Amino acid sequence: MTAPTAGPTDRPAADDGAAGLPASFRDVVGPLPEGGRLPPGAQSPFGSRQPDAEGFVERDGVRTWYGRFGSRGPWLMLLPPFQVVHGSIFKAITPYLADHFRVLVAELRGSGRSDRPDRPDAYTLDQTVADMLGVMDAADFERGALLGFSMGAQPAIRIAADHPGRVTHLIVIGGRIVVPTPPQVVPGEEQQFVERLMPDWPQFLDGFFRSVFTEGHSTKPFEDGVRYAWATNARTLAMVLAAQFGIDMRDDARRVVCPTLVIHGTEDGRVDYARGVELKSLIPGARMLTIAAGGHAPLVRDPVVVGQAIRNFVGGLPAERTWTRAIARPRRALFVSSAIGLGHIQRDLAIARELRALQPDLEIQWFTVDPALSYLRREGEAVHPATERLANESRHFESVAGEHDLQAFFALRTMDEIMTRNFMVFLDVLEAEHFDIVIGDEAWDLDYYLHENPELKRQPFVFLTDFVGCLPMADDGRERFLCADRNADEIERIDRFPYIRDASIFIGNPDDVTELPFGPGLPSIRRWTDENFRYSGYALPFDANAFADTSAQRERLGYSPAEKLVVAAVGGTAVGSSLLDRIAAAFPAMKRQLPELRMVLVTGPRIAPDRYERRPGLDVRPYVHNLFEHLACSDLALVQGGLSTCMELVATRRPFLCFPLQRHFEQCIHVQHRLRNYCADCALDFRAETSASIAHKALAAMDQPVRYRPVEADGAARAARMIADVIENRAWRR
């Protein structure tokens, strides 16, 4: 980012309400780690797409890190800004751009993975330019586009002016070309002057990033920015700032001859919008993209419009497209299904089959990743080839899980880069092909970015979900604030742009929705859901009546009528491995008390089955297609706390014990509220249970009659009818 000067910034930082931030960044990200920096090599990753190649360039004993993303297309180099952040500041746009370009990212000396020389003369503009040219040479970047963000504009402009044969295009985001020396500075004492301005490092970071992210609901980029700053320290930044005084790039700007695009926000709290207009006027023939109401870092807060602008301006890989005359186009739907577990895809396929019965000529293509992707292929469904470019949400959730512990809210919160990447892939698909409707089951990425970029909506959009509202799982002020902020953001977007969702369908009934509020001063979740959704009832992937004869079902699946069958399963991810371990350890005690016991342990595609010892009566299976068929004839099921599996057991009236993931607000609050509504309150606390207690409670639960409320059999058909109404232009608006 552009360095602060001694005097006031060009535009004052937004107040707390405008930025959606609490009184201090400590309330968002917590205290700084001791020492105020991360050790080399411990910086934040670039998100879901890591470098295809990386290395270091050494000059005068100082190493500068760089990474290359993508292997085809024109070159595009992203020049880093002020050392208060490192290369991860580009994480929202890098994965998408790497599909169209060979993207080169460097990290400035003094931050990230690069070295931190302890002398002011190491941080001059000339040193930065030499480092960046060295990186270009090392990566075989002979000719291509340069993007300079904030202070990165200065070396980008200098290189474009001095080496016109190497630069095809120039993009400047939030750039400043003049950094005057404050009149209070005594020559030779620049660093001491800066150090006097920033005696409180946390306070400096708080003020700095408030002025960077002036847009509302910016807590996540604000948090990221502060965490990036952990990879440097106040002394290094003081040397950097001292070296920047007196820079004047106006003559360099006039010498730029390549096509230039200037991107600047009108509410930039670090570099006034007028400075961007000035820059555009100095570079011959420059174009300008104004981000109205945007702050200093639109590549972070508005990555969709910025990513598309860069791709369109520079060119990227040649697009392949077939245009079909409108009247000759087949009717097509794109079904975007959440890949976190297998429950969504099974119910979505049930809805899709009902929709095909109503619309026989409708072709449905699927847009998802594993494990849902593999399930669809087993079912013979058509999967869009662009799914190969999608980041995997399920793997992200696994990466942040602990021992039967998943802080689901923060897992969603840290999925921001994945959501951006997948939405941009979705946009590429819709640019190249026609679909009559898009259906999204908990497609939070589509829903968020369509509301953020409403002009991109090109066809009807139907949104499905089985829960509404993020809720805190701890008596923690930070978590309460962030959950409420996320909920308020969603409420505001939907109220402002009600036409984005042509239909909002809740997979369930009104009583399945909690009465808890979204947060302080926000409405009740139940009341808001009543006003903004239609209820389809629960959508089962099967007809429960078909499994009423458990004896026939057992015979069909190869189970003996003399066996007591227990099925233990934890879904399609590795998050439940600790629970499965504990259930496996309970098996010997259960078998001793119940010799006719047969336990089927379903590890799923992500848990290695050979981690479990083979024992008589214990079947370990890596995958069971349509597991609900086996659960429907079991004497007992031991499962995680996911909604789909639990509701399937309620529908088939089978006894079960569930173990909700700790700190998982959906499983612990929303799912448990629904199960209590169906008289199926059978949750156990994983922390309180041992293998011995699980064995005891499981054996006791087998003999207990169930008194569940019935689950409707027509939920999938009702949801399909609502979607068909949208296709047939008979949609209701709520």
Side-chain angles (χ1 to χ4, degrees), residues 372-706:
L373 187 63
S374 296
Y375 182 85
L376 288 169
R377 285 175 172 156
R378 285 174 178 265
E379 291 290 318
E381 291 289 316
V383 177
H384 197 283
T387 56
E388 296 177 358
R389 294 170 53 195
L390 296 174
N392 194 296
E393 302 168 355
S394 183
R395 287 198 185 97
H396 168 74
F397 271 64
E398 290 176 355
S399 72
V400 297
E403 183 186 24
H404 204 69
D405 186 335
L406 177 61
Q407 226 300 359
F409 169 70
F410 287 102
L412 285 169
R413 179 176 167 80
T414 55
M415 204 169 71
D416 52 332
E417 175 270 329
I418 290 175
M419 292 174 60
T420 305
R421 173 179 175 176
N422 290 349
F423 180 76
M424 298 292 280
V425 174
F426 166 79
L427 279 188
D428 280 358
V429 169
L430 294 196
E431 280 187 1
E433 304 176 47
H434 169 77
F435 289 92
D436 293 87
I437 190 170
V438 172
I439 307 161
D441 185 352
E442 295 190 9
W444 305 110
D445 45 2
L446 270 62
D447 190 63
Y448 177 81
Y449 280 113
L450 284 174
H451 280 90
E452 288 285 286
N453 304 268
E455 69 279 0
L456 295 178
K457 182 184 175 183
R458 298 178 177 175
Q459 59 280 106
F461 173 53
V462 175
F463 182 77
L464 296 82
T465 187
D466 57 34
F467 81 94
V468 174
C470 294
L471 295 170
M473 284 299 297
D475 186 18
D476 175 84
R478 172 181 179 245
E479 187 176 342
R480 287 197 302 272
F481 170 82
L482 293 176
C483 282
D485 183 68
R486 182 185 178 101
N487 291 335
D489 188 16
E490 180 175 2
I491 291 170
E492 290 169 17
R493 284 186 282 105
I494 292 171
D495 285 351
R496 174 63 183 84
F497 299 105
Y499 57 83
I500 295 297
R501 296 180 180 179
D502 293 84
S504 298
I505 302 173
F506 186 88
I507 306 297
N509 299 298
D511 289 345
D512 297 330
V513 183
T514 177
E515 298 278 0
L516 292 171
F518 282 108
L522 297 175
S524 123
I525 295 175
R526 167 67 185 275
R527 177 169 65 83
W528 188 84
T529 305
D530 285 347
E531 294 171 354
N532 290 276
F533 282 80
R534 286 288 293 270
Y535 295 95
S536 68
Y538 193 74
L540 289 167
F542 55 81
D543 178 3
N545 293 325
F547 301 108
D549 187 343
T550 56
S551 297
Q553 181 69 3
R554 284 194 177 202
E555 182 179 358
R556 187 176 71 82
L557 296 175
Y559 297 120
S560 166
E563 293 173 332
K564 284 288 189 178
L565 177 63
V566 174
V567 179
V570 292
T573 74
V575 175
S577 58
S578 299
L579 172 60
L580 216 56
D581 291 348
R582 200 164 291 183
I583 292 172
F587 173 76
M590 295 175 66
K591 183 72 170 175
R592 284 193 297 270
Q593 296 186 57
L594 192 67
E596 64 271 29
L597 175 66
R598 180 178 180 180
M599 179 180 285
V600 177
L601 205 67
V602 185
T603 63
R606 301 278 179 82
I607 303 172
D610 56 7
R611 69 189 284 168
Y612 300 108
E613 181 182 352
R614 296 301 192 267
R615 299 172 180 272
L618 179 65
D619 293 349
V620 181
R621 304 184 187 181
Y623 177 74
V624 175
H625 195 61
N626 289 337
L627 179 64
F628 56 79
E629 297 178 349
H630 300 255
L631 294 171
C633 63
S634 65
D635 293 288
L636 178 72
L638 300 172
V639 297
Q640 213 169 257
L643 177 65
S644 299
T645 301
C646 291
M647 287 300 293
E648 289 163 10
L649 288 161
V650 171
T652 54
R653 309 192 66 76
R654 310 316 300 160
F656 69 99
L657 298 176
C658 68
F659 299 78
L661 287 166
Q662 299 167 54
R663 301 193 301 167
H664 192 304
F665 73 87
E666 184 184 358
Q667 292 190 9
C668 293
I669 299 177
H670 292 291
V671 174
Q672 291 308 308
H673 171 84
R674 190 182 301 224
L675 291 179
R676 286 191 292 272
N677 187 39
Y678 280 87
C679 304
D681 189 1
C682 54
L684 297 178
D685 185 346
F686 176 83
R687 295 167 297 183
E689 302 299 335
T690 64
S691 57
S693 66
I694 289 174
H696 173 74
K697 292 178 180 180
L699 291 171
M702 272 192 238
D703 298 326
Q704 297 297 319
V706 299

Side-chain angles (χ1 to χ4, degrees), residues 199-211:
D200 186 334
W201 176 234
Q203 183 180 14
F204 169 79
L205 295 181
D206 187 79
F208 183 87
F209 286 107
R210 282 177 184 275
S211 65

